[in-house]
């Protein structure tokens, strides 16, 4: 049998006796191996920087982040897309997760779903992907047919394509505009890319989407000010953020948040400039949603 050239499919040379380790050694083996995920993303920082820079003009023009993946990669895409709304008030319709096998594949494996190039193409077309959109294509192997189909359809529609894979010299990385290699190598449990390959993908997605949100004005300093307090936990967080950003006391911060309909960024601008909610909102609109720019405008 011909050896599989993908490093993620190789047998890890250091863990042939994994099933014979005592409990502490077993846990250490898994934890220690995760360090390779961090190193892989560090090595990919220039590629991630390029991807963020290429994506920004599309998103500023009203485009969407569209994620495409299968299995673990697909679920990580769903997670990243879902968390952008509560964290940054990113409109949910502008974060579109596509996973091989559909929504049912989030909780249950859909056998064979990832093997269809046509399914990937169909899902991208059904999502109406266009020129202002950014496709984030995820596949540890770098060879998943569903994801390759999604890339093909997205490029045909004029979208920017960013590819994240854990094996070098793979079709996915060759097919996209912005290739990001996360070279994590063999897994402790051979072939189980839900381990450090998945960790590296999660770090890369966190980095990419968070950097985009900062550049799009969703953060003031290092505070997540573009959020709305929609439950008790978030109300407490919003209050603390407003107090920290403005130096106001809790009573003033609470009043401003109430007048700002729970929107932290509006409350911050209100308090720092001494204006009401409507004036704060107008300044933010004029500044493209950038809190710092709204505060510095004459």
């Amino acid at each position: 049998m011909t050896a599989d050239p993908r490093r993620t499919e190789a047998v890890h040379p250091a863990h042939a006796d994994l099933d014979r380790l005592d409990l502490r050694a077993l846990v250490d083996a898994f934890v220690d191996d995760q360090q390779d995920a961090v190193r892989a993303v560090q090595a990919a920082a220039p590629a991630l920087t390029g991807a963020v820079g290429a994506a920004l003009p599309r998103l500023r023009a009203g485009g969407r982040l569209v994620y495409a993946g299968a299995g673990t990669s697909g679920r990580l895409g769903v997670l990243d897309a879902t968390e952008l709304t509560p964290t940054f008030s990113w409109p949910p319709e502008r974060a579109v997760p596509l996973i091989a096998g559909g929504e049912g594949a989030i909780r249950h494996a859909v056998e064979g779903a990832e093997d269809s190039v046509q399914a990937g193409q169909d899902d991208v077309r059904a999502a109406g992907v266009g020129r202002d959109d950014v496709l984030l294509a995820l596949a540890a192997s770098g060879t998943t047919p569903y994801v390759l189909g999604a890339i093909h359809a997205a490029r045909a529609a004029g979208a920017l394509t960013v590819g994240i894979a854990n094996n070098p010299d793979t079709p996915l990385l060759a097919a996209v505009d912005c290739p990001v290699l996360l070279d994590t190598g063999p897994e402790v449990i051979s072939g189980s890319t839900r381990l450090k390959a998945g960790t590296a993908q999660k770090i890369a997605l966190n980095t990419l989407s968070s950097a985009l949100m900062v550049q799009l004005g969703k953060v003031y300093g290092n505070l997540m000010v573009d959020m709305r307090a929609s439950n008790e936990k978030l109300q407490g967080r919003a209050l603390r953020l407003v107090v920290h950003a403005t130096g106001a006391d809790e009573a003033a911060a609470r009043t401003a948040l109430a007048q700002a309909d729970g929107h932290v960024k509006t409350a911050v601008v209100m308090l720092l400039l001494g204006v009401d909610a409507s004036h704060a909102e107008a300044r933010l609109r004029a500044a493209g949603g950038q809190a710092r720019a709204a505060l510095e405008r004459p």
Side-chain angles (χ1 to χ4, degrees):
M1 179 182 294
T2 303
D4 193 316
R6 295 172 296 184
R7 283 167 45 76
T8 56
E9 296 299 314
V11 175
H12 201 300
H15 298 293
D17 294 321
L18 188 71
D19 61 341
R20 301 175 68 181
L21 296 179
D22 64 48
L23 186 55
R24 177 55 190 271
L26 179 63
V27 170
D28 284 346
F30 284 115
V31 172
D32 291 347
D33 200 55
Q34 292 290 312
Q35 301 304 314
D36 286 343
V38 177
R39 285 188 282 268
V41 181
Q42 289 173 329
L48 287 167
T49 301
V52 171
L56 276 170
R58 312 266 182 147
L59 298 181
R60 284 177 173 143
R64 301 172 297 167
L65 288 168
V66 181
Y67 301 72
T72 297
S73 297
R75 295 180 192 104
L76 288 170
V78 171
L79 178 61
D80 198 69
T82 303
E83 291 184 340
L84 292 181
T85 299
T87 308
F88 300 110
S89 293
W90 187 250
E93 65 273 13
R94 294 184 66 191
V96 182
L98 306 177
I99 182 170
E103 289 190 8
I106 296 172
R107 287 283 295 142
H108 302 284
V110 179
E111 299 299 335
E114 68 179 57
D115 296 331
S116 173
V117 171
Q118 188 65 52
Q121 294 176 336
D122 290 345
D123 283 355
V124 164
R125 289 168 184 153
V129 171
R131 295 188 61 81
D132 288 334
D133 293 329
V134 179
L135 179 78
L136 303 179
L138 301 143
S141 68
T143 60
T144 306
Y146 174 87
V147 180
L148 294 175
I151 293 169
H152 177 79
R155 293 200 70 173
L160 178 74
T161 54
V162 178
I164 298 176
N166 297 81
N167 286 301
D169 305 319
T170 47
L172 183 150
L173 296 176
V176 296
D177 300 303
C178 300
V180 179
L181 169 62
L182 307 174
D183 193 359
T184 45
E187 299 285 359
V188 171
I189 297 176
S190 300
S192 181
T193 52
R194 62 178 288 272
L195 298 174
K196 66 183 172 187
T199 299
Q201 288 185 1
K202 181 66 168 69
I203 298 171
L205 286 173
N206 280 350
T207 301
L208 196 154
S209 61
S210 297
L212 285 169
M213 294 299 118
V214 171
Q215 290 289 300
L216 291 169
K218 302 295 185 180
V219 173
Y220 174 58
N222 67 341
L223 307 178
M224 47 183 288
V225 295
D226 209 349
M227 56 164 281
R228 289 188 184 275
S230 57
N231 59 38
E232 186 174 339
K233 180 187 76 173
L234 293 180
Q235 288 167 1
R237 180 182 298 166
L239 184 63
R240 291 190 296 272
L241 288 169
V242 173
V243 168
H244 182 86
T246 66
D249 59 36
E250 286 194 10
R254 188 174 285 107
T255 298
L257 276 168
Q259 294 172 353
D261 194 26
H263 190 206
V264 173
K265 186 160 58 174
T266 302
V268 168
V269 173
M270 289 170 62
L271 289 167
L272 289 179
L273 293 183
V275 299
D276 61 21
S278 61
H279 282 84
E281 290 167 354
R283 289 185 72 95
L284 283 166
R285 282 195 300 273
Q290 299 271 354
R292 193 172 298 281
L295 291 168
E296 293 173 352
R297 288 174 66 87

